[in-house]
Amino acid sequence: MCTSLVIHLRAPLPDVVAMQTRQPNLEGAGEIPLRRLVKEALRMRPSRFVVGDVRQEEGLDLTQSA
């Protein structure tokens, strides 16, 4: 499981899921923040979890899940 703002981590394995954030569109809808991706990834119960950048509130979710 890899989550990041920009997909820059490439794992050459068949069972890797990459998740990327998305900015809102011109109407302000459709945003996918990193915190949401972290929560969704933790629900999948991966054996390994790689986060490209931890800058804001998603760090709290990561520390609470440990």
Side-chain angles (χ1 to χ4, degrees):
M1 181 71 58
C2 287
T3 60
S4 184
L5 298 173
V6 178
I7 300 295
H8 57 273
L9 300 171
R10 301 267 186 224
L13 300 170
D15 57 351
V16 173
V17 175
M19 302 170 82
Q20 184 176 356
T21 61
R22 184 170 63 192
Q23 296 295 321
N25 61 14
L26 294 176
E27 290 83 28
E31 179 183 19
I32 302 175
L34 186 58
R35 186 172 193 183
R36 179 175 164 195
L37 294 180
V38 167
K39 286 182 177 183
E40 293 296 325
L42 290 171
R43 286 188 185 116
M44 294 179 192
R45 304 193 54 81
S47 59
R48 290 177 182 85
F49 184 47
V50 177
V51 179
D53 304 310
V54 177
R55 297 181 184 173
Q56 297 176 354
E57 61 271 352
E58 63 270 2
L60 177 63
D61 298 322
L62 287 171
T63 55
Q64 287 179 341
S65 69

